[in-house]
Amino acid sequence: MPQIVSLANDLLLNFSVLIAGLFAISLTFRQPDWPESWRRILTRYLTSVTTAFLLMINTVSVASGLSFDFRSVLVALAAQRNGVLAGLLIALPIGVYRLYVRGPAAFPGVLNLVLVALLAGKATGLFRLMPRWEHSIQTTCQQAVLTFLTANLTVFVAFWLVGRPPADALPVYVVFSSISVLGMVVGEYVTYTRLAALARAQSLEQLAYVDPLTGAFNRRMFDESLREFPPGSFLLLLDLDRFKRINDTYGHVVGDQVLICLVQMLQAEIRSVDRVYRLGGEEFGVLLAPGSAEQVRMRVERLRAEVEQSLATKTGLTEETITVSGGLVLIVEEPRTALANADRLLYSAKAAGRNMILSNLR
């Protein structure tokens, strides 16, 4: 009885190390549309390997020369989420250490890790830089059963190498496979909880910072971004000319479509480092990262011409011509000063006849 209690305590300790490690790994995940950085990937990898070694240090002794820990669960989860190669990369230092320590179960232990990586990662493919977000607990449970019932057949090899009969290996195989499946499912739930929290945060961010009609960032986000964009950036304010007449003549549904199409045209023209904002009504702002003033001026003028030529057609108003007026400034020091200057240029463009973008660029 004391031996069973000691075994259960060791197993619980090993399981606790696994959960703590997986929680630490989950902290490296970011929102699904955020690009992965190599620093974050490396941190995730080192945390996984460190957790695996902590599990091996706190291993559970089953029989002479035979032990158990949850290291293979880490390999399985990495392979399931990022592909076979990710699982093998985590298995590599663990396997090397296991062979260095030697013992009769060293080879079966390494073989087990390789099989786990191959089986758990087969649905994901060789390697994914962006982790999969769409796993369900049910899918993980099915994959865990298939993975560990197959990979843990190496238990019979380990018992044969230490001269134990296969009958002795059967209960160990069943127990190892069962708790490995449990470890993978609980581990996936830890990760799933983190990813669900990130998804909720992204949803709330959408509500707080994105205009629901056009998909552009809203005024709140514009005010924050204006403070964050570095000196040397450019600010473009745009306003649709005579937009009230469009609404009064064709209705607000058509007017909304004009706003949506304009944002799509802006987003297609700008670079990935630039941002589009709906400031209110038919007024929009574009923050452009530092670059050549001449190229920015040309890009903005090309956009104005494209709006004049095709915005009305894209919204089904073939008999109309829809134009924009704007003000373009270089952000030198105080962002609010740049905003006031761009606004003044915008109204000057309106007063000068519309369908033009005035700037203070030289």
Side-chain angles (χ1 to χ4, degrees), residues 180-216:
S180 295
V181 168
L182 176 64
M184 185 171 175
V185 172
V186 174
E188 176 64 16
Y189 182 76
V190 171
T191 306
Y192 172 81
T193 302
R194 166 68 175 170
L195 298 182
L198 289 174
R200 286 194 296 270
Q202 186 180 45
S203 177
L204 292 174
E205 186 174 305
Q206 286 283 107
L207 293 174
Y209 291 110
V210 176
D211 174 53
L213 174 64
T214 64

Side-chain angles (χ1 to χ4, degrees), residues 7-21 51-60 68-73 179:
L7 193 66
N9 287 337
D10 291 343
L11 190 61
L12 182 60
L13 174 61
N14 205 259
F15 186 74
S16 300
V17 172
L18 171 69
I19 299 304
T51 302
F53 276 101
L54 288 174
L55 290 169
M56 293 173 70
I57 291 172
N58 295 280
T59 191
V60 181
F68 172 83
D69 55 65
F70 286 102
R71 79 191 94 154
S72 60
V73 170
I179 59 180

Side-chain angles (χ1 to χ4, degrees), residues 100-113:
Y100 173 77
V101 174
R102 297 180 181 276
F107 174 72
V110 173
L111 179 60
N112 176 270
L113 293 175

Side-chain angles (χ1 to χ4, degrees), residues 7 21 29 52 60 62 106 123 137 141 162 207-208 218 249 265 267 281:
L7 193 66
F29 288 108
V60 181
V62 178
I137 299 300
C141 186
V162 296
L207 293 174
N218 61 17
T249 305
M265 294 173 70
Q267 291 174 335

Side-chain angles (χ1 to χ4, degrees), residues 309-338:
Q309 293 168 10
S310 61
L311 180 56
T313 303
K314 288 182 177 181
T315 52
L317 304 177
T318 54
E319 302 300 320
E320 292 283 351
T321 298
I322 304 175
T323 61
V324 291
S325 299
L328 174 66
V329 299
L330 174 67
I331 303 175
V332 181
E333 294 180 358
E334 175 53 47
R336 288 294 162 186
T337 302

Side-chain angles (χ1 to χ4, degrees), residues 45-102:
Y45 175 75
L46 293 176
T47 305
S48 299
V49 172
T50 301
T51 302
F53 276 101
L54 288 174
L55 290 169
M56 293 173 70
I57 291 172
N58 295 280
T59 191
V60 181
S61 179
V62 178
S64 177
L66 299 175
S67 60
F68 172 83
D69 55 65
F70 286 102
R71 79 191 94 154
S72 60
V73 170
L74 287 168
V75 175
L77 289 172
Q80 181 197 40
R81 192 160 296 282
N82 294 92
V84 172
L85 182 58
L88 291 175
L89 285 173
I90 291 176
L92 178 61
I94 306 171
V96 169
Y97 175 75
R98 189 68 185 87
L99 291 174
Y100 173 77
V101 174
R102 297 180 181 276

Side-chain angles (χ1 to χ4, degrees), residues 22-247:
L22 289 173
F23 177 75
I25 293 166
S26 75
L27 296 179
T28 66
F29 288 108
R30 293 295 181 266
Q31 293 179 4
D33 57 349
W34 286 22
E36 285 278 40
S37 68
W38 285 107
R39 180 179 299 178
R40 191 153 50 245
I41 293 172
L42 180 60
T43 300
R44 189 177 305 151
Y45 175 75
L46 293 176
T47 305
S48 299
V49 172
T50 301
T51 302
F53 276 101
L54 288 174
L55 290 169
M56 293 173 70
I57 291 172
N58 295 280
T59 191
V60 181
S61 179
V62 178
S64 177
L66 299 175
S67 60
F68 172 83
D69 55 65
F70 286 102
R71 79 191 94 154
S72 60
V73 170
L74 287 168
V75 175
L77 289 172
Q80 181 197 40
R81 192 160 296 282
N82 294 92
V84 172
L85 182 58
L88 291 175
L89 285 173
I90 291 176
L92 178 61
I94 306 171
V96 169
Y97 175 75
R98 189 68 185 87
L99 291 174
Y100 173 77
V101 174
R102 297 180 181 276
F107 174 72
V110 173
L111 179 60
N112 176 270
L113 293 175
V114 173
L115 289 173
V116 165
L118 294 174
L119 291 166
K122 66 182 180 65
T124 306
L126 183 62
F127 184 64
R128 287 171 60 92
L129 192 59
M130 288 292 291
R132 293 182 66 175
W133 283 62
E134 65 273 17
H135 282 298
S136 67
I137 299 300
Q138 181 179 358
T139 301
T140 299
C141 186
Q142 294 170 349
Q143 198 164 3
V145 170
L146 174 63
T147 297
F148 289 109
L149 284 182
T150 304
N152 284 352
L153 290 172
T154 54
V155 168
F156 291 94
V157 179
F159 268 70
W160 174 73
L161 289 173
V162 296
R164 300 279 294 275
D168 291 352
L170 183 59
V172 175
Y173 166 76
V174 173
V175 172
F176 278 17
S177 299
S178 300
I179 59 180
S180 295
V181 168
L182 176 64
M184 185 171 175
V185 172
V186 174
E188 176 64 16
Y189 182 76
V190 171
T191 306
Y192 172 81
T193 302
R194 166 68 175 170
L195 298 182
L198 289 174
R200 286 194 296 270
Q202 186 180 45
S203 177
L204 292 174
E205 186 174 305
Q206 286 283 107
L207 293 174
Y209 291 110
V210 176
D211 174 53
L213 174 64
T214 64
F217 291 110
N218 61 17
R219 181 61 189 250
R220 176 184 295 178
M221 188 65 173
F222 174 77
D223 291 336
E224 292 187 12
S225 298
L226 192 60
R227 294 191 297 268
E228 296 171 358
F229 262 61
S233 301
F234 300 88
L235 169 62
L236 170 65
L237 291 185
L238 292 172
D239 191 271
L240 282 163
D241 296 328
R242 298 187 174 91
F243 183 68
K244 185 177 183 302
R245 185 182 65 81
I246 297 293
N247 272 335

